[in-house]
């Protein structure tokens, strides 16, 4: 019999630290893990597909969902709204671990409702490395990269409220550390 509990894992950290990369690899490597798909009002980037990276909705649709208590949490970033759909997550959690890739305010809000949620902060080896990664990813203009860089200190300042901090320097080592944490948490009663 498998007594391991399904866990709700929140992965946060500054934009460009590697959350998306790590989340994608975690679900590829772990059959029992589902990635939650957030709603956002931002435009899809090249290659992003509605219902895969995000549910792309407009501001009116987002507001209706807020009014109907449809989000576990939501927040505004860079002039767009992002939210975690409540029903989607609670249904997935019945049969699998669920991974949320959301900002620190969202993570702390989730913890208020789900005391057992496991909050993991991803930190960069250095601030300059974040800039390098965002430039290399080339999905944002320099102005937008600078905006994201301004938020790094804020995100990392909340690390002490998170359960774990993992530095994403070597990608494989970071993924293995996150897996180790999740396995440890799954075995807790
Ligand atoms: P986030 O989702 O946190 O904004 P991404 O996962 O999009 O960040 O990663 C930003 C960029 O950094 C991507 O181009 C990704 O390939 C790269 N990257 C992620 N992790 C590492 C790492 N450990 N070392 C070097 N580059 C990385
Ligand atoms: P991006 O536009 O780069 O995909 O995401 C911008 C920021 O929004 C990232 O910090 C990401 O973690 C955060 N984010 C994505 N989805 C959600 C969500 O559902 N809730 C909250 N609070 N933040 C989110």
């Amino acid at each position: 019999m498998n007594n391991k509990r399904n866990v709700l894992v929140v992965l946060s950290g500054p934009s460009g630290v590697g959350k998306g990369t790590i989340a994608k690899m975690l679900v590829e490597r772990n059959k029992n893990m589902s990635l939650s798909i957030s709603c956002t009002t931002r435009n899809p980037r090249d290659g992003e597909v509605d219902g895969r990276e995000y549910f792309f909705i407009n501001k009116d649709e987002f507001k209706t969902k807020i009014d109907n208590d449809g989000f576990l949490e939501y927040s505004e970033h860079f002039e767009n709204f992002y939210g975690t759909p409540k029903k989607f997550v609670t249904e997935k959690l019945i049969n699998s671990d669920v991974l949320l890739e959301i900002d620190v305010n969202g993570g702390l809000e989730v913890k208020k409702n789900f005391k057992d949620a496991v909050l993991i902060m991803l930190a960069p080896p250095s601030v300059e490395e974040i800039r390098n990664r965002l430039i290399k990813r080339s999905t944002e203009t320099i102005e937008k990269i600078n905006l994201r860089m301004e938020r790094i200190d804020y995100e990392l300042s909340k690390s002490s409220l998170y359960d774990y901090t993992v530095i994403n320097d070597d990608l494989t080592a970071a993924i293995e550390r996150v897996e180790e944490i999740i396995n440890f948490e799954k075995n807790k009663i």
Side-chain angles (χ1 to χ4, degrees):
M1 198 165 76
N2 184 358
N3 287 322
K4 292 184 177 180
R5 67 185 180 113
N6 289 332
V7 285
L8 181 60
V9 181
V10 175
L11 211 52
S12 300
S15 183
V17 74
K19 298 181 296 295
T21 307
I22 289 181
K24 189 164 168 276
M25 294 185 79
L26 282 172
V27 290
E28 276 171 15
R29 285 161 58 119
N30 297 281
K31 285 196 188 66
N32 192 48
M33 177 152 300
S34 311
L35 188 58
S36 165
I37 303 171
S38 296
C39 297
T40 183
T41 60
R42 85 153 160 74
N43 292 324
R45 295 177 185 136
D46 278 353
E48 285 184 333
V49 175
D50 185 37
R52 191 178 69 189
E53 281 78 12
Y54 285 103
F55 295 111
F56 295 98
I57 61 179
N58 64 37
K59 287 193 173 158
D60 286 341
E61 290 167 322
F62 201 96
K63 190 170 176 315
T64 305
K65 232 172 148 51
I66 295 173
D67 293 343
N68 293 334
D69 194 26
F71 291 119
L72 263 186
E73 61 72 39
Y74 67 92
S75 56
E76 190 180 355
H77 302 280
F78 319 116
E79 297 174 352
N80 280 300
F81 290 94
Y82 294 77
T84 307
K86 193 184 266 182
K87 189 159 173 269
F88 188 87
V89 169
T90 47
E91 284 179 0
K92 289 235 179 256
L93 208 46
I94 297 169
N95 293 315
S96 70
D97 299 318
V98 178
L99 191 59
L100 304 183
E101 186 205 321
I102 62 178
D103 86 309
V104 283
N105 294 337
L108 294 171
E109 197 58 34
V110 165
K111 188 89 172 181
K112 285 188 196 160
N113 299 319
F114 279 84
K115 294 278 174 258
D116 290 341
V118 180
L119 305 189
I120 304 176
M121 178 71 73
L122 282 181
S126 70
V127 168
E128 264 323 291
E129 176 61 12
I130 293 244
R131 187 187 295 281
N132 296 339
R133 288 182 191 176
L134 286 173
I135 290 170
K136 191 177 123 215
R137 191 173 74 184
S138 54
T139 51
E140 264 82 26
T141 59
I142 284 293
E143 289 73 29
K144 286 197 171 158
I145 289 179
N146 286 337
L147 267 181
R148 281 160 194 256
M149 296 287 300
E150 281 171 20
R151 212 181 133 82
I152 297 176
D153 284 349
Y154 175 76
E155 295 263 338
L156 294 177
S157 73
K158 303 285 180 188
S159 297
S160 60
L161 300 172
Y162 267 53
D163 299 306
Y164 300 92
T165 297
V166 173
I167 297 176
N168 179 23
D169 188 355
D170 177 76
L171 183 60
T172 307
I175 291 168
E176 285 173 0
R177 176 68 188 130
V178 172
E179 284 177 345
E180 194 177 82
I181 291 167
I182 295 170
N183 282 326
F184 172 75
E185 291 287 340
K186 281 180 72 63
N187 283 306
K188 275 191 184 170
I189 296 170

